[in-house]
Amino acid sequence: SYSFCTLLVQMAVIRAGFDIGSGSTKLLVAEVDIKKGVIVKELFGEERPVKFALDLKASKDETLSESIMRKGIKVLRGFLKTAEDLGATEVVAVATEVFRKARNGKAYADMVKKVLGVTVVIVSQHVEAVLGYDTAVALAGMQGCVSWDSGGGSFQITAERGEKVYMAPLGASVATAMMVKDIQHREFTPSTSPNPVNQENVNALSKLFISKLTPPPDWLTNGAAVVAVGGPNSIFRLASDLLDSTTTITIPQVQECIEHLLGETDAAIRDLCCPREDSDPPSMILPKLTLLYTVMQYCNIQSFRFVPAIGSCAGILVSTELPWERFHLSKL
C-alpha cells in the first residue's frame, strides 16, 4: 500500500528547464507537481549572458562563431552539474530566435546533444510566445493577462495562451546592431558602441522599428493589462532599475529614461545602468530603451507591470507539450 507521503513524491518531480536565448542562457530547477502543472518549490534559478544574437549580427555568413558556441556549451555544462547536485530527474532545453535564424543553429543543438547528452528543441516563435504567457501566469498569478516577453532577438505579446499573439523579430541585440549599422552607418562588431547617442538617432531607430512592425491588433491597443516578464538584463528590468525599482512603468517614464542618457559616454552609462559584472554592456542600453518606448507607443501600451523571471523557464517547467527526458550525466 502507498502512504500519503509516497503519493506526494509521485506527483512532484524535480525538473531542470533550460531557456537558451539570444542573449543569455537560463536555468530554473524546481519541484513540479506534474498533475496540477504548478511549481511547488524553486530550488535554483540563474541566467548567464551568452550573446549569441550580437555574435550573429557581426557574422559575414549568418553563422554563429565557434567561440560563442563553445561559451554556450561551457555555461550549459556548469548548469547541468548544478541540476544534478539538486537531484533533477527530468530535463528539457528550449532554444529561441537566434537559433531559428543562424545557418548553423541546428548544428549548435546537435553539438549540445553530442557533447552533453541533452536534446535542444528549437521552438517556433509561437511556441516561444506560449511559454512566455505561461511564465507570466505562473509568476504573476493572473489568469487572463496579456504577457510581454522581449529577449535578445525577438519579442512576443500574448493573450489567451497563444490564441492571440503579436510578435516581431526585434530584440535587444538586434536593436543595438540596427542602431550602429542602419542609423549611424558604421561597421558592427559585438564590441561596437553607438554611444554617445543623440535624439536624432533615437527618433530614426524608432521609425525603423515601426517600419518592421505589423499594425497592432485591437485586443492589444484597447487598454490591455500587460504583464512583462524578464531577467536582470531584460528591457523591463532596465527601465525598472532606472526608475528606482518601480514595477508599474508608463510611456512617459521610459521617455524620461531615454532623455536622461542622451549624449552620455559608455563610461557614464556603465556607472548608471550596468551595476553587475554580468550586466549588458553600455552599448545596448539606449537601443533597448528605444525598443521598449517604441513598442509601447505603437501598441498603445500605456503601462505594464514588470514581474522578474528567469526567462521563460517557469513556463517551460510546467509544460506538457515539451519532450521531457530522464536526466543523465554520462557525458559530463
Side-chain angles (χ1 to χ4, degrees), residues 124-168:
S124 68
Q125 198 170 11
H126 185 268
V127 171
E128 190 176 350
V130 171
L131 293 171
Y133 179 84
D134 287 347
T135 296
V137 170
L139 298 179
M142 286 175 61
Q143 292 290 340
C145 70
V146 172
S147 69
W148 186 1
D149 180 17
S150 188
S154 64
F155 74 80
Q156 302 82 33
I157 304 175
T158 312
E160 298 177 18
R161 200 173 182 268
E163 293 298 317
K164 299 174 179 176
V165 182
Y166 182 74
M167 54 192 176

Side-chain angles (χ1 to χ4, degrees), residues 28-266:
L28 184 61
V29 181
E31 292 179 12
V32 179
D33 185 325
I34 53 177
K35 189 172 182 181
K36 293 181 179 178
V38 296
I39 293 172
V40 178
K41 182 182 180 182
E42 291 188 9
L43 304 176
F44 176 86
E46 189 176 316
E47 65 176 70
R48 296 180 189 167
V50 186
K51 300 298 182 187
F52 288 109
L54 282 181
D55 182 89
L56 184 64
K57 281 293 177 183
S59 170
K60 298 290 191 287
D61 59 0
E62 298 180 347
T63 61
L64 297 166
S65 68
E66 289 291 329
S67 61
I68 200 71
M69 290 195 291
R70 282 196 301 271
K71 181 176 181 180
I73 293 282
K74 181 180 179 182
V75 168
L76 283 172
R77 180 179 279 113
F79 272 162
L80 283 165
K81 184 66 172 66
T82 298
E84 176 194 25
D85 293 343
L86 291 169
T89 58
E90 294 183 358
V91 62
V92 76
V94 165
T96 57
E97 177 71 13
V98 72
F99 304 97
R100 296 191 288 264
K101 284 186 170 180
R103 288 172 52 200
N104 58 345
K106 185 178 181 303
Y108 177 72
D110 293 342
M111 185 188 302
V112 173
K113 178 66 174 177
K114 181 179 179 181
V115 175
L116 300 177
V118 174
T119 301
V120 176
V121 184
I122 301 175
V123 297
S124 68
Q125 198 170 11
H126 185 268
V127 171
E128 190 176 350
V130 171
L131 293 171
Y133 179 84
D134 287 347
T135 296
V137 170
L139 298 179
M142 286 175 61
Q143 292 290 340
C145 70
V146 172
S147 69
W148 186 1
D149 180 17
S150 188
S154 64
F155 74 80
Q156 302 82 33
I157 304 175
T158 312
E160 298 177 18
R161 200 173 182 268
E163 293 298 317
K164 299 174 179 176
V165 182
Y166 182 74
M167 54 192 176
L170 295 172
S173 298
V174 176
T176 304
M178 288 170 68
M179 177 69 93
V180 172
K181 289 202 292 188
D182 301 313
I183 305 305
Q184 297 180 339
H185 307 293
R186 298 159 55 209
E187 184 177 354
F188 178 74
T189 71
S191 60
T192 306
S193 173
N195 297 317
V197 169
N198 58 40
Q199 187 67 59
E200 185 180 345
N201 293 155
V202 169
N203 293 345
L205 183 59
S206 183
K207 188 175 179 180
L208 184 57
F209 288 151
I210 290 170
S211 74
K212 298 181 180 298
L213 294 172
T214 56
D218 290 344
W219 60 263
L220 179 54
T221 59
N222 291 338
V226 176
V227 174
V229 293
N233 284 321
S234 68
I235 59 175
F236 314 117
R237 174 66 180 270
L238 170 61
S240 176
D241 285 350
L242 285 170
L243 295 164
D244 295 324
S245 300
T246 301
T247 54
T248 299
I249 295 166
T250 65
I251 295 174
Q253 287 177 314
V254 179
Q255 185 174 15
E256 179 186 322
C257 291
I258 292 171
E259 291 172 353
H260 185 59
L261 298 173
L262 292 176
E264 297 289 358
T265 63
D266 274 1

